[in-house]
Amino acid sequence: MAITAAQINELRKTTGAGMLDCKKALEEVGGNMEQAVDYLRKKGLAAASKKAGRAATEGMVATALSADGKKGVLVEINSETDFVAKNDKFQDFVKQVADHVLQKDPANMDALLAQAFAGDAAKTVQTLLTEAIAVIGENMQIRRFASFRVAGNGMVGSYIHAGGKIGVLVEAACEGATDERLAACLRDVAMHVAAASPSYLQRSEVPSDVLDREKEIYRDKARQTGKPDNIIEKIIEGQVNKFYGDICLVEQAFVKDPDKSVQKYLDETGKALGGAITLKRFTKFVLGEGLEKKESDFAAEVAAAAGL
């Protein structure tokens, strides 16, 4: 009999198993839902279903770079507890997913989960995730990923802070040598991004409404001092330059040497490499950012588990 998308979706919701695994299970048992659930349980693919509703807000951010430095990826995978995030099996799973994204270039999260796993084409990434949940014993979620690829001469750099709490990717073009010196430079810039949290790469990226709002705030403050308009505009110009220095990566004071800007550091390194270094983009993942963490009473949980 033909298996419908609605049947597959229902089984997926019931068991937490991957879409392709659900389709295969239904085909094996002629579309019988209960038998399909049993089939998946016997295969160990439905063990994650009871865990699927738990909040996964801990975990790890990880990166993977190609050997030539031309491509890099950043992934965030969440677990329920920090304890599991430190588990070798969880960390190995995160590395496997990061390596897969680096090799297979999924277009989005749905595509990633449906792809045949790079390490074992007999299973999908969704199946790999479901199996990992069953083995590790906590709900887990592949939350997001980013992928940078250099088109011409240049490299991608990365930095992971605090064992996976923060991750950064940066991409740069370079007119000079692209060797370990450029790799070290970009790692320094990525570390700077982790510490200084720039909002934009350069002035041209700052939206006009953001800039206008800042100018109006500076203007109102200056008017309260009673200064004439021509002086106020000069004050605003100075304040705007300081604002750019706070939020634009290339204008920020470099964390490893606050006496120079990030751009100055790039210029100095580019001179040593024989050509200018131009930052193209960056991204930063903060573990659990935007997720609502569930507050728990540990003592109450222990008492409940003990039947008290």
Side-chain angles (χ1 to χ4, degrees), residues 130-165:
T130 302
E131 291 176 348
I133 293 172
V135 170
I136 292 172
E138 279 195 5
N139 186 29
M140 293 169 9
Q141 175 189 15
I142 303 174
R143 185 186 180 201
R144 54 180 171 167
F145 66 88
S147 181
F148 287 179
R149 183 191 294 272
V150 176
N153 200 45
M155 294 181 79
V156 176
S158 68
Y159 175 73
I160 296 294
H161 180 70
K165 299 296 184 184

Side-chain angles (χ1 to χ4, degrees), residues 288-299:
E289 187 175 39
L291 297 177
E292 183 177 349
K293 294 196 175 186
K294 181 180 178 182
E295 298 296 330
S296 62
D297 185 335
F298 183 70

Side-chain angles (χ1 to χ4, degrees), residues 217-273:
I217 292 171
Y218 303 148
R219 187 172 287 111
D220 285 347
K221 286 183 177 180
R223 282 172 178 163
Q224 292 173 24
T225 66
K227 291 183 173 61
D229 288 346
N230 62 322
I231 299 298
I232 287 176
E233 292 308 311
K234 290 182 180 179
I235 292 173
I236 290 174
E237 183 179 347
Q239 292 288 346
V240 166
N241 286 329
K242 183 177 183 301
F243 176 64
Y244 281 135
D246 288 338
I247 67 170
C248 295
L249 171 55
V250 295
E251 296 192 34
Q252 288 181 324
F254 182 40
V255 292
K256 292 185 73 173
D257 186 353
D259 290 333
K260 65 180 69 170
S261 67
V262 171
Q263 185 61 59
K264 179 67 173 175
Y265 173 61
L266 292 169
D267 291 343
E268 291 175 351
T269 305
K271 185 176 180 181
L273 294 175

Side-chain angles (χ1 to χ4, degrees), residues 47-194:
S49 59
K50 293 182 179 179
K51 304 176 181 71
R54 299 180 189 168
T57 57
E58 296 294 340
M60 182 178 178
V61 176
T63 187
L65 295 176
S66 61
D68 61 3
K70 295 289 187 181
K71 184 179 178 185
V73 301
L74 195 63
V75 301
E76 178 183 350
I77 299 181
N78 302 124
S79 61
E80 293 179 52
T81 65
D82 184 55
F83 178 78
V84 159
K86 296 174 181 177
N87 180 284
D88 289 342
K89 290 181 180 178
F90 176 81
Q91 293 182 3
D92 183 59
F93 171 73
V94 174
K95 182 180 183 304
Q96 287 181 319
V97 173
D99 288 342
H100 172 93
V101 174
L102 184 68
Q103 293 180 50
K104 297 299 183 180
D105 251 345
N108 52 45
M109 188 57 64
D110 287 340
L112 168 61
L113 294 174
Q115 281 181 328
F117 173 50
D120 182 354
K123 63 179 70 174
T124 65
V125 174
Q126 175 65 64
T127 302
L128 184 74
L129 172 62
T130 302
E131 291 176 348
I133 293 172
V135 170
I136 292 172
E138 279 195 5
N139 186 29
M140 293 169 9
Q141 175 189 15
I142 303 174
R143 185 186 180 201
R144 54 180 171 167
F145 66 88
S147 181
F148 287 179
R149 183 191 294 272
V150 176
N153 200 45
M155 294 181 79
V156 176
S158 68
Y159 175 73
I160 296 294
H161 180 70
K165 299 296 184 184
I166 298 173
V168 176
L169 278 184
V170 297
E171 178 187 334
C174 182
E175 297 174 4
T178 55
D179 54 27
E180 66 278 357
R181 293 171 295 174
L182 178 60
C185 169
L186 296 185
R187 184 181 184 280
D188 282 345
V189 173
M191 180 176 65
H192 171 95
V193 172

